[in-house]
Amino acid sequence: MKKSLPELVFEKIEEHSKNLEVPINSLKKIKGNSEFSILISAILSARTKDEVTARVLENFLKRIKNFNDLREIKLDELEKIIYPVGFYRNKAKSLKKLAEVILNEHSGKIPDKFDELVKLPGVGRKVANLVLQEVFKRDEICVDTHVHRISNRLGWVKTKKPEETEKELKALFKKKYWKRINKALVAFGQGICKSIKPRCEICPVEEFCSKILS
């Protein structure tokens, strides 16, 4: 099947993003393929820069290896571990509740259904989709600020809310691209297509960009 122009442009972005030295690539190495670390990382990263999340997650995983460890650690100690992520006190409380729910209601296993994931403390739509994508290898699109901004800037979508962007991207791209979109666009957003002062002069897809700045 012939590739659409957005798919061809995305592939150029994806290839270029693999070699960028950006925080998301460092964070990926730290969290690895552990289901526990993927979920924790996603929760910690909300409203927090990836470079901060990476430092905190690395320290977190030295002390807390699983949901049992998370349940047993004292709240004030957990707060110290996850500082300086955004809203660290609220996140510490959510993480403690998360451990209880996972252990008591899900037999220690992360649920693999979207409707169950979004009921977990600290988990919203973005985190749920990321977990389904990375842990369970589902074809989902996780829309964060980079994905939302770049998709609009390129002219792929014209949306105001992340959930609208998710819907439009699913209509625009074949399923085989869905779980690749977040990783590539976040790296691209951190290294090239920045929110302020995008580096258009070195952008590999500048000729295809509508340059719609928000």
Side-chain angles (χ1 to χ4, degrees), residues 174-192:
K174 299 180 189 73
K175 271 193 174 184
K176 69 176 184 178
Y177 292 96
W178 290 5
K179 60 176 173 277
R180 295 155 51 186
I181 287 174
N182 181 268
K183 181 181 178 182
L185 292 192
V186 172
F188 193 64
Q190 291 177 346
I192 304 294

Side-chain angles (χ1 to χ4, degrees), residues 67-97:
F67 290 112
N68 281 306
D69 289 348
L70 183 54
R71 179 173 62 181
E72 296 303 318
I73 195 167
K74 292 181 179 179
L75 179 61
D76 60 346
E77 187 175 354
L78 179 59
E79 289 177 350
K80 292 176 183 177
I81 291 173
I82 69 171
Y83 179 83
V85 299
F87 304 96
Y88 71 97
R89 287 194 175 92
N90 289 337
K91 287 179 182 177
K93 292 175 183 176
S94 291
L95 288 171
K96 291 290 289 179
K97 292 176 183 176

Side-chain angles (χ1 to χ4, degrees), residues 4-172:
S4 66
L5 180 59
E7 289 169 346
L8 290 171
V9 171
F10 171 75
E11 288 182 352
K12 285 180 176 289
I13 290 173
E14 184 178 44
E15 186 61 31
H16 189 80
S17 297
K18 291 176 182 177
N19 300 316
L20 293 173
E21 293 185 7
V22 289
I24 189 178
N25 291 336
S26 300
L27 179 58
K28 179 71 176 175
K29 291 177 183 178
I30 293 170
K31 68 182 179 182
N33 297 316
S34 161
E35 296 182 7
F36 177 73
S37 63
I38 288 171
L39 175 57
I40 298 301
S41 172
I43 293 172
L44 291 176
S45 68
R47 299 189 182 185
T48 302
K49 292 183 178 180
D50 280 344
E51 53 264 42
V52 175
T53 303
R55 292 199 310 270
V56 170
L57 182 65
E58 188 170 29
N59 187 42
F60 181 100
L61 294 175
K62 289 177 183 177
R63 305 283 300 278
I64 305 167
K65 308 292 186 184
N66 50 50
F67 290 112
N68 281 306
D69 289 348
L70 183 54
R71 179 173 62 181
E72 296 303 318
I73 195 167
K74 292 181 179 179
L75 179 61
D76 60 346
E77 187 175 354
L78 179 59
E79 289 177 350
K80 292 176 183 177
I81 291 173
I82 69 171
Y83 179 83
V85 299
F87 304 96
Y88 71 97
R89 287 194 175 92
N90 289 337
K91 287 179 182 177
K93 292 175 183 176
S94 291
L95 288 171
K96 291 290 289 179
K97 292 176 183 176
L98 174 70
E100 292 290 345
V101 172
I102 292 288
L103 291 169
N104 295 335
E105 299 180 20
H106 297 283
S107 302
K109 300 290 184 181
I110 299 172
D112 63 352
K113 301 286 193 302
F114 179 85
D115 290 344
E116 293 180 353
L117 281 166
V118 293
K119 292 177 183 177
L120 297 175
V123 176
R125 186 176 192 90
K126 184 186 79 170
V127 172
N129 279 332
L130 188 67
V131 170
L132 289 173
Q133 172 186 306
E134 292 195 6
V135 173
F136 301 106
K137 310 305 178 186
R138 304 281 175 77
D139 292 317
E140 296 292 347
I141 298 178
C142 174
V143 177
D144 71 347
T145 182
H146 295 287
V147 176
H148 180 66
R149 179 183 74 252
I150 294 170
S151 297
N152 276 278
R153 182 173 286 173
L154 285 166
W156 288 348
V157 303
K158 189 176 181 180
T159 56
K160 297 294 184 183
K161 299 179 180 179
E163 54 266 34
E164 295 171 352
T165 302
E166 179 188 333
K167 182 179 179 180
E168 293 295 322
L169 289 177
K170 284 184 174 180
L172 191 63

